[in-house]
Tab-separated table of all heavy atoms in Angstrom:
chain	number	residue	atom	x	y	z
D	8	CYS	N	-19.959	10.928	6.549
D	8	CYS	CA	-18.955	10.619	5.531
D	8	CYS	C	-17.750	9.977	6.199
D	8	CYS	O	-17.607	10.028	7.419
D	8	CYS	CB	-18.521	11.889	4.773
D	8	CYS	SG	-17.642	13.096	5.786
D	9	ALA	N	-16.904	9.380	5.387
D	9	ALA	CA	-15.612	8.914	5.894
D	9	ALA	C	-14.707	10.120	6.121
D	9	ALA	O	-14.955	11.212	5.594
D	9	ALA	CB	-14.977	7.952	4.895
D	10	SER	N	-13.648	9.931	6.889
D	10	SER	CA	-12.703	11.013	7.175
D	10	SER	C	-12.219	11.673	5.885
D	10	SER	O	-11.720	10.999	4.972
D	10	SER	CB	-11.496	10.441	7.928
D	10	SER	OG	-10.376	11.283	7.813
D	11	SER	N	-12.352	12.989	5.805
D	11	SER	CA	-11.941	13.699	4.585
D	11	SER	C	-10.430	13.614	4.392
D	11	SER	O	-9.950	13.440	3.265
D	11	SER	CB	-12.402	15.158	4.635
D	11	SER	OG	-11.898	15.815	5.782
D	12	ILE	N	-9.664	13.709	5.479
D	12	ILE	CA	-8.205	13.624	5.366
D	12	ILE	C	-7.802	12.252	4.826
D	12	ILE	O	-6.983	12.133	3.911
D	12	ILE	CB	-7.524	13.871	6.728
D	12	ILE	CG1	-7.854	15.277	7.237
D	12	ILE	CG2	-6.019	13.682	6.625
D	12	ILE	CD1	-7.428	15.508	8.673
D	13	ALA	N	-8.407	11.186	5.397
D	13	ALA	CA	-8.088	9.836	4.946
D	13	ALA	C	-8.450	9.642	3.481
D	13	ALA	O	-7.724	8.982	2.726
D	13	ALA	CB	-8.814	8.814	5.815
D	14	GLN	N	-9.555	10.231	3.050
D	14	GLN	CA	-9.961	10.088	1.644
D	14	GLN	C	-8.955	10.735	0.695
D	14	GLN	O	-8.552	10.133	-0.303
D	14	GLN	CB	-11.338	10.707	1.419
D	14	GLN	CG	-12.480	9.936	2.049
D	14	GLN	CD	-13.823	10.488	1.607
D	14	GLN	OE1	-14.162	10.463	0.433
D	14	GLN	NE2	-14.576	11.013	2.563
D	15	HIS	N	-8.553	11.959	1.002
D	15	HIS	CA	-7.574	12.634	0.136
D	15	HIS	C	-6.244	11.879	0.133
D	15	HIS	O	-5.576	11.781	-0.902
D	15	HIS	CB	-7.380	14.087	0.598
D	15	HIS	CG	-8.563	14.969	0.308
D	15	HIS	ND1	-8.950	15.289	-0.974
D	15	HIS	CD2	-9.448	15.582	1.135
D	15	HIS	CE1	-10.017	16.072	-0.933
D	15	HIS	NE2	-10.342	16.265	0.342
D	16	ALA	N	-5.883	11.325	1.281
D	16	ALA	CA	-4.653	10.530	1.352
D	16	ALA	C	-4.813	9.240	0.558
D	16	ALA	O	-3.878	8.794	-0.123
D	16	ALA	CB	-4.319	10.218	2.802
D	17	GLY	N	-6.007	8.655	0.617
D	17	GLY	CA	-6.249	7.379	-0.038
D	17	GLY	C	-6.045	7.415	-1.541
D	17	GLY	O	-5.649	6.403	-2.140
D	18	VAL	N	-6.288	8.560	-2.154
D	18	VAL	CA	-6.083	8.685	-3.600
D	18	VAL	C	-4.642	8.337	-3.959
D	18	VAL	O	-4.356	7.691	-4.981
D	18	VAL	CB	-6.449	10.102	-4.093
D	18	VAL	CG1	-6.151	10.256	-5.580
D	18	VAL	CG2	-7.927	10.391	-3.818
D	19	ALA	N	-3.712	8.729	-3.082
D	19	ALA	CA	-2.283	8.505	-3.344
D	19	ALA	C	-1.897	7.035	-3.237
D	19	ALA	O	-0.818	6.638	-3.698
D	19	ALA	CB	-1.438	9.336	-2.379
D	20	CYS	N	-2.760	6.197	-2.648
D	20	CYS	CA	-2.462	4.756	-2.559
D	20	CYS	C	-2.293	4.133	-3.935
D	20	CYS	O	-1.579	3.136	-4.078
D	20	CYS	CB	-3.595	4.034	-1.832
D	20	CYS	SG	-3.609	4.272	-0.050
D	21	PHE	N	-2.957	4.700	-4.936
D	21	PHE	CA	-3.009	4.080	-6.249
D	21	PHE	C	-1.952	4.620	-7.208
D	21	PHE	O	-1.910	4.223	-8.372
D	21	PHE	CB	-4.419	4.239	-6.831
D	21	PHE	CG	-5.478	3.647	-5.934
D	21	PHE	CD1	-6.234	4.451	-5.090
D	21	PHE	CD2	-5.693	2.282	-5.907
D	21	PHE	CE1	-7.197	3.907	-4.251
D	21	PHE	CE2	-6.656	1.725	-5.069
D	21	PHE	CZ	-7.414	2.543	-4.236
D	22	GLU	N	-1.106	5.528	-6.723
D	22	GLU	CA	-0.015	6.023	-7.554
D	22	GLU	C	1.037	4.921	-7.728
D	22	GLU	O	1.242	4.101	-6.823
D	22	GLU	CB	0.619	7.255	-6.903
D	22	GLU	CG	-0.322	8.455	-6.815
D	22	GLU	CD	0.275	9.617	-6.050
D	22	GLU	OE1	1.427	9.481	-5.557
D	22	GLU	OE2	-0.399	10.658	-5.925
D	23	PRO	N	1.685	4.858	-8.871
D	23	PRO	CA	2.671	3.784	-9.120
D	23	PRO	C	3.731	3.668	-8.033
D	23	PRO	O	4.130	2.549	-7.655
D	23	PRO	CB	3.281	4.182	-10.465
D	23	PRO	CG	2.211	4.970	-11.152
D	23	PRO	CD	1.498	5.716	-10.062
D	24	GLU	N	4.188	4.804	-7.514
D	24	GLU	CA	5.202	4.770	-6.457
D	24	GLU	C	4.679	4.049	-5.218
D	24	GLU	O	5.403	3.255	-4.581
D	24	GLU	CB	5.608	6.205	-6.094
D	24	GLU	CG	6.691	6.276	-5.019
D	24	GLU	CD	6.983	7.706	-4.579
D	24	GLU	OE1	6.346	8.654	-5.121
D	24	GLU	OE2	7.836	7.882	-3.679
D	25	SER	N	3.416	4.300	-4.863
D	25	SER	CA	2.819	3.639	-3.699
D	25	SER	C	2.621	2.147	-3.959
D	25	SER	O	2.947	1.308	-3.109
D	25	SER	CB	1.479	4.292	-3.351
D	25	SER	OG	1.644	5.650	-3.021
D	26	ILE	N	2.079	1.803	-5.123
D	26	ILE	CA	1.828	0.401	-5.451
D	26	ILE	C	3.126	-0.401	-5.399
D	26	ILE	O	3.150	-1.546	-4.923
D	26	ILE	CB	1.155	0.269	-6.830
D	26	ILE	CG1	-0.250	0.877	-6.799
D	26	ILE	CG2	1.112	-1.191	-7.276
D	26	ILE	CD1	-1.239	0.176	-5.899
D	27	ALA	N	4.224	0.181	-5.852
D	27	ALA	CA	5.521	-0.513	-5.805
D	27	ALA	C	5.900	-0.848	-4.360
D	27	ALA	O	6.412	-1.940	-4.075
D	27	ALA	CB	6.599	0.346	-6.456
D	28	ILE	N	5.634	0.083	-3.455
D	28	ILE	CA	5.915	-0.154	-2.030
D	28	ILE	C	5.046	-1.292	-1.498
D	28	ILE	O	5.524	-2.211	-0.813
D	28	ILE	CB	5.686	1.131	-1.217
D	28	ILE	CG1	6.708	2.197	-1.605
D	28	ILE	CG2	5.739	0.848	0.285
D	28	ILE	CD1	6.412	3.587	-1.056
D	29	TYR	N	3.746	-1.241	-1.831
D	29	TYR	CA	2.830	-2.264	-1.324
D	29	TYR	C	3.170	-3.646	-1.874
D	29	TYR	O	3.030	-4.650	-1.162
D	29	TYR	CB	1.380	-1.890	-1.656
D	29	TYR	CG	0.932	-0.610	-0.985
D	29	TYR	CD1	0.343	0.416	-1.709
D	29	TYR	CD2	1.112	-0.422	0.382
D	29	TYR	CE1	-0.059	1.589	-1.098
D	29	TYR	CE2	0.714	0.754	1.008
D	29	TYR	CZ	0.139	1.755	0.258
D	29	TYR	OH	-0.254	2.923	0.865
D	30	GLU	N	3.616	-3.706	-3.114
D	30	GLU	CA	3.962	-5.004	-3.692
D	30	GLU	C	5.223	-5.580	-3.030
D	30	GLU	O	5.329	-6.790	-2.833
D	30	GLU	CB	4.141	-4.876	-5.204
D	30	GLU	CG	2.830	-4.724	-5.959
D	30	GLU	CD	1.919	-5.930	-5.788
D	30	GLU	OE1	2.327	-7.042	-6.170
D	30	GLU	OE2	0.796	-5.762	-5.247
D	31	GLN	N	6.160	-4.705	-2.653
D	31	GLN	CA	7.335	-5.178	-1.914
D	31	GLN	C	6.918	-5.743	-0.552
D	31	GLN	O	7.420	-6.779	-0.110
D	31	GLN	CB	8.323	-4.019	-1.715
D	31	GLN	CG	9.048	-3.595	-2.993
D	31	GLN	CD	9.880	-2.339	-2.776
D	31	GLN	OE1	9.875	-1.741	-1.693
D	31	GLN	NE2	10.599	-1.921	-3.808
D	32	ARG	N	5.994	-5.056	0.103
D	32	ARG	CA	5.523	-5.512	1.405
D	32	ARG	C	4.743	-6.821	1.280
D	32	ARG	O	4.849	-7.704	2.139
D	32	ARG	CB	4.660	-4.420	2.054
D	32	ARG	CG	5.462	-3.171	2.404
D	32	ARG	CD	4.568	-2.063	2.894
D	32	ARG	NE	5.342	-0.890	3.325
D	32	ARG	CZ	4.814	0.222	3.817
D	32	ARG	NH1	3.496	0.315	3.949
D	32	ARG	NH2	5.591	1.233	4.179
D	33	LYS	N	3.978	-6.941	0.215
D	33	LYS	CA	3.257	-8.196	-0.042
D	33	LYS	C	4.247	-9.352	-0.189
D	33	LYS	O	4.026	-10.440	0.367
D	33	LYS	CB	2.411	-8.047	-1.304
D	33	LYS	CG	1.712	-9.321	-1.746
D	33	LYS	CD	0.920	-9.069	-3.028
D	33	LYS	CE	0.336	-10.342	-3.586
D	33	LYS	NZ	-0.467	-10.085	-4.815
D	34	ALA	N	5.335	-9.130	-0.906
D	34	ALA	CA	6.363	-10.162	-1.067
D	34	ALA	C	6.963	-10.539	0.285
D	34	ALA	O	7.280	-11.712	0.539
D	34	ALA	CB	7.446	-9.687	-2.024
D	35	GLU	N	7.104	-9.552	1.167
D	35	GLU	CA	7.632	-9.829	2.502
D	35	GLU	C	6.644	-10.666	3.313
D	35	GLU	O	7.040	-11.609	4.023
D	35	GLU	CB	7.944	-8.525	3.232
D	35	GLU	CG	8.358	-8.678	4.694
D	35	GLU	CD	9.615	-9.518	4.916
D	35	GLU	OE1	10.367	-9.778	3.952
D	35	GLU	OE2	9.838	-9.934	6.076
D	36	PHE	N	5.346	-10.381	3.211
D	36	PHE	CA	4.348	-11.210	3.885
D	36	PHE	C	4.434	-12.657	3.404
D	36	PHE	O	4.369	-13.596	4.195
D	36	PHE	CB	2.935	-10.667	3.632
D	36	PHE	CG	2.544	-9.501	4.507
D	36	PHE	CD1	1.968	-8.373	3.949
D	36	PHE	CD2	2.732	-9.543	5.878
D	36	PHE	CE1	1.595	-7.301	4.749
D	36	PHE	CE2	2.370	-8.471	6.689
D	36	PHE	CZ	1.791	-7.350	6.118
D	37	LYS	N	4.577	-12.842	2.103
D	37	LYS	CA	4.679	-14.206	1.552
D	37	LYS	C	5.933	-14.905	2.091
D	37	LYS	O	5.902	-16.093	2.422
D	37	LYS	CB	4.707	-14.171	0.025
D	37	LYS	CG	4.773	-15.553	-0.616
D	37	LYS	CD	4.768	-15.468	-2.137
D	37	LYS	CE	4.734	-16.863	-2.767
D	37	LYS	NZ	5.938	-17.652	-2.461
D	38	ARG	N	7.041	-14.169	2.179
D	38	ARG	CA	8.281	-14.738	2.712
D	38	ARG	C	8.073	-15.210	4.145
D	38	ARG	O	8.549	-16.288	4.543
D	38	ARG	CB	9.397	-13.691	2.645
D	38	ARG	CG	10.779	-14.218	3.019
D	38	ARG	CD	11.853	-13.174	2.753
D	38	ARG	NE	11.921	-12.175	3.798
D	38	ARG	CZ	12.782	-12.213	4.826
D	38	ARG	NH1	13.638	-13.220	4.948
D	38	ARG	NH2	12.807	-11.253	5.724
D	39	ARG	N	7.344	-14.430	4.926
D	39	ARG	CA	7.068	-14.808	6.312
D	39	ARG	C	6.173	-16.047	6.369
D	39	ARG	O	6.390	-16.945	7.190
D	39	ARG	CB	6.391	-13.645	7.042
D	39	ARG	CG	7.270	-12.412	7.190
D	39	ARG	CD	6.446	-11.256	7.742
D	39	ARG	NE	7.210	-10.019	7.814
D	39	ARG	CZ	6.688	-8.868	8.219
D	39	ARG	NH1	5.414	-8.812	8.571
D	39	ARG	NH2	7.430	-7.780	8.254
D	40	ARG	N	5.154	-16.074	5.511
D	40	ARG	CA	4.288	-17.258	5.468
D	40	ARG	C	5.096	-18.506	5.170
D	40	ARG	O	4.930	-19.558	5.822
D	40	ARG	CB	3.209	-17.072	4.399
D	40	ARG	CG	2.248	-18.260	4.306
D	40	ARG	CD	1.560	-18.348	2.955
D	40	ARG	NE	2.483	-18.630	1.849
D	40	ARG	CZ	2.078	-18.934	0.623
D	40	ARG	NH1	0.796	-18.988	0.333
D	40	ARG	NH2	2.975	-19.172	-0.333
């Protein structure tokens, strides 16, 4: 199986608070490009 700790943590990636962080970082990647 994949790492159990990583899997339980991965669920939190899809919470709105997390997605907002990732979208800000995506905007920063675009700025760098």
